[in-house]
Amino acid sequence: MAKRSLPVQAKPPSTTYNSQLACKSSSGLYQLSSLLPSLEVLVAILVGLTPLAATSILINVRPYLIPPGPRRLPFLGNLHEFLKKPCILELASELRVRYGDVYSLYLGNKLIVVVNGLDLIKEAFVTQGVINTNGKLWRDNRRFIMHTFRDFGVGQDALENTVVPEIARLVQTVRDLDGAAFDPCNDLRFTTARLIFKVILSKQFEEEETADLEIFITAVDSVLQTFGMLSVLHFVPLLKFLPGDIFNLNKIESKDAILREFMQEQIQRRARYLATTGDIECLADNYLDKIQRNQYNGTEMPAFDVENLVQILLELVVAGTDTTATTLLWLFLYLAINPEEQELLHREIDYQLDGAFPMLKDRPRLPRLDAAILEAHRLGAVVPFAVARSPNKDLTLAGFRVPRGCIVVPSLASVLMDPELFPEPSVFKPSRFLERKHNIKLRDLGLIPFNIGKRNCLGETLARVELFLVAAAMLQKFRFVLPDDEPHPSLKGVVGATRMPPPFKLQAIPRPSF
Ligand code: HEM
């Protein structure tokens, strides 16, 4: 390739440095002084910089008892720390070593307090429990969704009729590959998305509608990819005015519109069905029915309207698709890397099920599989930081003041990888959960992938059902290996909206008897 020569720029005559004199001189001191600006320039710089320097010094004095943290810059706060260390988990553990279990950062002017370790997360989110829960609207809707899930038998055998056909479809898709290497991420995402759509909208995506589902999943993915950036803009709004669409705001808006339009169409479809049959088959039907009954009775319940329903359905799909698929991805990856553990699972499943398709009732008989899933939750740390929220009054945490209105972020990863709770934390060792006594709750052991407290994961029960049924069916039918000719993926994980393995290929070798 021909080298392009750089354009030579004429140097402006130097008025600031008397460099020619310096070169000629033999005195070291003189050389040094020649590097310094002249007195007038120095004064000018000092005068110019003083307000900035003063601001910088002033803002770096943290208010009394506010948790410690790194120095911040005017306007940007600690944004530069994220640029210095793009892996947020590495940055978080480095800051924890430097400042302790409760430290603080600033995004723009907003104070962010990061809470590490099981005891302090319990203290903040359960014992003190004053973390803002977004008011009545959120509470009414959350309660409604939980009741609906319970009424539809989420967590019980009743859900199986909905879930099992989708799992059988996944098994068939993978079987058709006949052991060829494939990227499991998409297949798992499609399955978990299909499962949620069935539960919330009674929507079955037929073969010819796969493209619609793909558009939907891609749109969810783009919105999630830019999620972190959106939070930055939220706290440092001035950045919005940078030229060009560097934060992809236009792209996000167009994807968000696609997602909403799709949901609105689905809701209209359910409203028509409800009007003709009166049958309630899914969460959306139940919600529409509630809106109608409120209107009929003249009950004022602003939390229940179609606009809120669109938002709720979107949140459920977004929160429930990638998280569950990524946990399965970690499970299959760790099992491929640990064939002896996989072999133990095969033996357990074969012995207990004798070829029958796995059902929820089989779960108590498959403790080793259960333990492997728990270990995948732990090592996957799919949601390393739970949802950030704001205390509605001042808290005291580990002797520090956590003021009302700041943002509190619990680091779930700090608990899931805690060597005191889980010796050799980076080793895949399902047996650590096999030995657990049944009267000890997982959260007391420190296994809190769904977080704890009033605002913990709403889909935990559904996720556990899906994880068990998908994992059991897939392991019954296949042995997972990493292709010989592909490099092993790093287990460090890539942190975006969820923490996932980097893209990798897997082989699902059909098992002889199935
Ligand atoms: C392995 C799978 C999953 C993991 C690890 C997971 C984890 C989490 C975590 C850590 C939170 C934040 C909780 C907090 O900040 O206190 C959360 C919130 C949430 N999750 Fe999940 N989740 C999973 C599956 C699901 C599924 C399947 C659904 C939907 C059916 C779902 C729906 C939600 C919703 C709606 C919230 C927000 C709750 C609220 O703000 O009140 N999740 N999840």
Side-chain angles (χ1 to χ4, degrees):
M1 213 205 308
K3 268 190 179 173
R4 248 187 333 144
S5 54
L6 291 168
V8 182
Q9 269 184 357
K11 274 193 185 164
S14 167
T15 49
T16 315
Y17 298 100
N18 42 5
S19 53
Q20 280 158 6
L21 267 179
C23 290
K24 282 180 193 153
S25 163
S26 57
S27 152
L29 194 66
Y30 200 92
Q31 274 187 356
L32 187 68
S33 72
S34 71
L35 295 176
L36 294 174
S38 65
L39 188 63
E40 305 91 273
V41 176
L42 196 63
V43 171
I45 289 174
L46 275 179
V47 170
L49 279 185
T50 304
L52 202 61
T55 320
S56 172
I57 291 167
L58 275 179
I59 63 171
N60 272 307
V61 179
R62 274 181 162 65
Y64 184 57
L65 283 182
I66 293 296
R71 291 172 70 81
R72 58 182 161 137
L73 297 175
F75 309 114
L76 292 180
N78 294 110
L79 267 181
H80 59 295
E81 302 284 343
F82 296 90
L83 298 177
K84 274 197 288 187
K85 219 173 196 115
C87 173
I88 194 162
L89 275 178
E90 277 176 17
L91 173 65
S93 60
E94 195 181 294
L95 292 175
R96 187 183 182 189
V97 170
R98 260 182 20 221
Y99 301 107
D101 280 349
V102 186
Y103 60 81
S104 67
L105 288 162
Y106 283 85
L107 274 187
N109 280 330
K110 194 75 181 171
L111 174 68
I112 318 278
V113 174
V114 183
V115 185
N116 293 272
L118 182 61
D119 292 342
L120 284 174
I121 290 180
K122 268 188 185 171
E123 171 71 19
F125 291 82
V126 183
T127 316
Q128 301 214 30
V130 286
I131 304 291
N132 188 5
T133 46
N134 282 7
K136 186 164 159 39
L137 187 134
W138 165 82
R139 209 174 38 245
D140 286 352
N141 277 300
R142 183 175 166 111
R143 201 175 293 146
F144 180 84
I145 298 167
M146 295 197 87
H147 285 176
T148 309
F149 277 174
R150 200 194 50 210
D151 294 347
F152 285 157
V154 169
Q156 299 152 30
D157 299 355
L159 186 71
E160 274 166 349
N161 297 338
T162 314
V163 171
V164 166
E166 292 303 340
I167 297 177
R169 180 202 289 259
L170 171 70
V171 168
Q172 191 53 49
T173 310
V174 175
R175 185 179 284 143
D176 290 345
L177 294 169
D178 201 19
F182 72 115
D183 178 349
C185 182
N186 262 354
D187 289 304
L188 291 172
R189 252 190 208 162
F190 267 69
T191 302
T192 51
R194 283 174 183 278
L195 292 176
I196 293 199
F197 269 109
K198 272 207 160 170
V199 174
I200 62 175
L201 275 158
S202 205
K203 168 76 186 152
Q204 158 99 36
F205 285 90
E206 304 301 339
E207 247 5 272
E208 61 277 12
E209 291 176 298
T210 307
D212 291 347
L213 184 58
E214 195 161 355
I215 293 173
F216 190 89
I217 291 181
T218 315
V220 168
D221 207 39
S222 325
V223 172
L224 284 178
Q225 295 295 337
T226 31
F227 194 67
M229 276 305 170
L230 279 187
S231 345
V232 170
L233 285 184
H234 182 73
F235 295 119
V236 195
L238 277 179
L239 294 177
K240 266 188 231 164
F241 299 107
L242 288 178
D245 188 22
I246 55 172
F247 292 99
N248 283 328
L249 279 184
N250 297 340
K251 193 171 144 201
I252 300 168
E253 272 167 23
S254 73
K255 299 288 178 195
D256 189 58
I258 294 178
L259 295 176
R260 280 174 198 280
E261 197 184 316
F262 184 85
M263 277 306 179
Q264 270 150 1
E265 277 168 22
Q266 297 305 319
I267 291 170
Q268 279 163 15
R269 181 180 62 82
R270 288 320 297 175
R272 285 194 298 273
Y273 179 84
L274 193 63
T276 7
T277 64
D279 288 347
I280 294 180
E281 292 182 354
C282 59
L283 189 135
D285 295 353
N286 211 14
Y287 201 100
L288 289 168
D289 182 61
K290 174 121 187 145
I291 297 176
Q292 273 178 9
R293 273 188 289 125
N294 283 348
Q295 281 167 354
Y296 183 77
N297 298 331
T299 319
E300 283 281 321
M301 281 194 96
F304 291 87
D305 60 22
V306 173
E307 210 179 304
N308 262 327
L309 178 56
V310 171
Q311 185 64 29
I312 288 171
L313 296 181
L314 276 177
E315 279 177 18
L316 287 171
V317 179
V318 170
T321 302
D322 263 20
T323 42
T324 318
T326 308
T327 308
L328 287 164
L329 208 55
W330 281 115
L331 174 70
F332 297 147
L333 175 57
Y334 274 105
L335 288 175
I337 294 173
N338 294 275
E340 61 302 332
E341 288 291 346
Q342 192 175 173
E343 176 59 27
L344 291 173
L345 296 187
H346 284 150
R347 276 198 228 152
E348 181 183 76
I349 293 170
D350 293 351
Y351 179 76
Q352 294 292 350
L353 302 188
D354 199 20
F357 199 92
M359 293 293 193
L360 274 182
K361 65 170 172 31
D362 302 316
R363 200 165 167 174
R365 291 189 291 142
L366 300 175
R368 197 167 273 281
L369 175 61
D370 230 13
I373 295 172
L374 297 181
E375 185 68 338
H377 271 308
R378 190 187 70 75
L379 272 173
V382 163
V383 186
F385 302 94
V387 179
R389 57 195 73 130
S390 196
N392 44 20
K393 61 177 182 185
D394 283 9
L395 305 179
T396 304
L397 211 52
F400 292 110
R401 192 165 73 85
V402 179
R404 171 177 186 264
C406 77
I407 302 290
V408 182
V409 181
S411 165
L412 303 185
S414 74
V415 182
L416 298 172
M417 294 300 282
D418 185 337
E420 304 234 322
L421 297 168
F422 305 107
E424 296 186 284
S426 47
V427 179
F428 181 72
K429 209 157 73 173
S431 59
R432 64 175 99 235
F433 294 111
L434 270 180
E435 291 143 17
R436 128 182 106 104
K437 305 248 180 334
H438 277 284
N439 53 355
I440 298 184
K441 290 198 179 121
L442 285 170
R443 73 176 212 189
D444 292 330
L445 288 179
L447 192 74
I448 53 166
F450 300 96
N451 202 12
I452 44 182
K454 281 190 187 148
R455 209 163 168 181
N456 69 343
C457 176
L458 227 164
E460 174 170 353
T461 316
L462 177 61
R464 288 193 189 282
V465 169
E466 289 181 28
L467 290 170
F468 171 77
L469 290 174
V470 175
M474 293 293 276
L475 283 160
Q476 184 182 50
K477 308 289 187 292
F478 307 105
R479 182 169 56 86
F480 293 106
V481 292
L482 291 171
D484 283 339
D485 51 353
E486 296 267 346
H488 279 200
S490 150
L491 297 174
K492 221 166 107 180
V494 183
V495 184
T498 56
R499 175 178 177 271
M500 57 191 311
F504 69 98
K505 292 267 168 59
L506 193 65
Q507 279 176 279
I509 313 292
R511 299 189 57 226
S513 45
F514 299 96

